[in-house]
Every structure is written in C-alpha cells, then in structure tokens.
C-alpha cells in the first residue's frame, strides 16, 4: 500500500497511461464492506479499460491488513487495483484518489456501493463534455431511497441550509459522483474539506464556475437500506458551520475565475 499518496494537484496522473474509468473508493474501518465491493467492481469492470483506487484513511480495525491481503491475491489483471493511504476523512481520501487517477471518467463512491451500478449506468449515456459532474442523487424524484421519516426530515433541513448558505441548486451533493477525469483533476486543488462535506464543496465550486451537476436517479441497495442512520439532529448545526466555512473559502471573485479556468 502506498504510504505517500500523491498531493492533490501535483500532476501525479500526468504522463501515466490513461484509462477509460477510475473508481475511487475510500476505506475507513471497512472490513465488512470492502471485500464484496472489490469483487463486484472486478466483475463489472472486467471488460472495461478501468482501474480501482482504494484509499485507506485512518482505520482503527483490520482494514489495512485486509487490503494488503486482497492486493497480494488480486486475480483480475484487467482491472488494476491500486491502494493508497490518506489522513482520516472522506475528503482527504477522495482528493488523494482523484489526484492519482488516470481515468477519462472518475467515479467517487462509498465502500459498500450504496447504489450498485445505477449511477454508472445512467452516466454512461451522458456526454462528459456537456456534463462533467453527474451525481447518483437521492434527491432525484425518480430515486428509490426511502430511509425513514427522521432521515427525510433531516435531509430536507440540510437541503434548505445549502440553499440559504451557498445558494446551491444541486439537490443531493452527497450522492455518488461520476466526473470528467480532467475536470476532476483540475478542480481538486480547490477542495479543502477533509470530511464528508467535500462533495458539497465540489458542487459549490462547480456551480460557481458555471457547471451545474446533472442528477440521475438511483436505487438504494438492500444492504445499505438496512443500515441504521447515523445522522443526528446536532448534525444540522455542524452542517451549518461547515457550509459557512465553504462559503467564506470560495467567496472571492478570484476563486470563481480559477475554478472556471480549471474546467477549460
């Protein structure tokens, strides 16, 4: 496992042989989920020019050892598996994975593939030049993601906060993402959030640069649907503080110009 993940924006993917698709999977205390996910990815991507990057980020269980064992016995030469490390946090993991990616498109997903491959299936019919940001969106009206009343209420509260604080039009900036690879690698230096708000920051930077994410419908996988929600009412306050930080960070006109230049 690479102990020194590439610095976002360092150009680490430049000069490397390109591929059609990169999956970036953050792994934090993922011993129960990561092995079935990697088997599913190997099967789905077997006939594709694709790679899988797993970024272990601060696990305190046996995730690191499990990943090393999987790497040593990986029997899918057509789907290269690359293991990286980052500091703890989804944002840190995604930035490291994007910076190291070689794909013409880059998929940001979770360690348990919450929507299976619905997001990829929908994105494959979309021109990445016209839509560099495609989101497997729980907010899409055709999505099947019922998680209970409390989760719906809190999600609605988060949506209002994003609209008020950031003026965000994207309904679900915390879904899964299929990104145009060059766009993603160009935008990653603008991303600072270390944790789960990184994709909200990505959407904010995209919208400020004139890129409106395209949201596509997804179905929550049965195993993910059974998970108990870890969202608490106090998270609304934490979300508000985080959104204000994102707004301050990207408030300058220079930031908007830099983001627009990164997509060209």
């Amino acid at each position: 496992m690479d102990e020194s993940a590439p610095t976002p924006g360092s150009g680490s993917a430049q000069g490397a042989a390109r591929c059609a698709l990169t999956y970036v999977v953050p792994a934090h205390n993922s011993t129960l989920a990561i092995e079935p996910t990697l088997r599913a990815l190997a099967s789905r991507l077997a006939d594709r020019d694709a790679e899988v990057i797993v970024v272990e980020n601060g696990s305190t269980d046996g995730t690191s050892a499990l990943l090393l064992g999987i790497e040593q016995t990986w029997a899918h030469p057509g789907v290269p598996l690359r293991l990286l490390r980052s500091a703890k946090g989804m944002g840190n993991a995604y930035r490291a994975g994007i910076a190291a990616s070689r794909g013409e498109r880059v998929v940001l997903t979770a360690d348990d593939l919450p929507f299976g491959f619905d997001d990829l299936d929908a994105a494959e019919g979309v021109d990445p030049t016209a839509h560099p940001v495609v989101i497997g969106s729980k907010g899409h009206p055709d999505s099947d993601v019922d998680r209970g009343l409390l989760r719906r209420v809190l999600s609605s509260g988060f949506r209002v906060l994003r609209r008020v604080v950031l003026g965000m039009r994207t309904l679900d900036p915390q879904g899964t993402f299929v990104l145009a690879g060059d766009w993603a690698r160009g935008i990653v230096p603008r991303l600072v959030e270390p944790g789960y708000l990184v994709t909200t920051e990505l959407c904010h930077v995209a919208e400020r640069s004139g890129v409106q994410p395209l949201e596509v419908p997804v179905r929550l996988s049965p195993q993910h649907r059974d998970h108990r929600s870890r969202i608490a009412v106090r998270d609304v306050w934490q979300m508000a503080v985080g959104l204000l930080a994102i707004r301050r960070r990207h408030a300058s006109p220079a930031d908007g110009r830099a983001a627009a230049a990164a997509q060209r």
Side-chain angles (χ1 to χ4, degrees), residues 2 4-8 10 12 84 95-96 99-100:
D2 187 350
S4 55
T7 302
S10 66
S12 56
L84 303 178
R95 289 200 307 275

Side-chain angles (χ1 to χ4, degrees), residues 143-156:
S143 289
D144 178 11
V145 292
D146 184 23
R147 292 292 299 276
L149 178 60
L150 176 60
R151 183 113 184 184
R152 291 200 302 271
V153 170
L154 290 175
S155 294
S156 296

Side-chain angles (χ1 to χ4, degrees), residues 61-83:
D61 64 357
T63 296
S64 294
L66 175 61
L67 287 171
L68 288 173
I70 292 172
E71 180 184 39
Q72 291 167 4
T73 59
W74 188 251
H76 310 280
V79 185
L81 174 64
R82 302 167 60 195
L83 303 185

Side-chain angles (χ1 to χ4, degrees), residues 102-141:
R102 303 179 299 119
E104 294 175 8
R105 297 186 103 169
V106 176
V107 181
L108 307 182
T109 189
D111 64 357
D112 60 353
L113 292 178
F115 310 128
F117 295 101
D118 286 355
D119 43 10
L120 180 62
D121 290 339
E124 288 186 329
V126 175
D127 179 2
T129 303
H131 297 286
V133 182
V134 178
I135 302 176
S137 171
K138 299 180 295 296
H140 193 285

Side-chain angles (χ1 to χ4, degrees), residues 174 193 195-202 238-239 241-243 246:
Q174 292 174 284
E193 285 292 321
Y196 73 99
L197 280 178
V198 66
T199 52
T200 299
E201 184 177 34
L202 185 154
Q238 294 172 352
M239 168 75 83
V241 172
L243 294 179
I246 290 172

Side-chain angles (χ1 to χ4, degrees), residues 197-222:
L197 280 178
V198 66
T199 52
T200 299
E201 184 177 34
L202 185 154
C203 285
H204 183 55
V205 171
E207 288 189 0
R208 280 179 54 79
S209 69
V211 173
Q212 182 58 43
L214 175 67
E215 299 182 72
V216 297
V218 289
R219 297 164 295 175
L220 200 63
S221 65

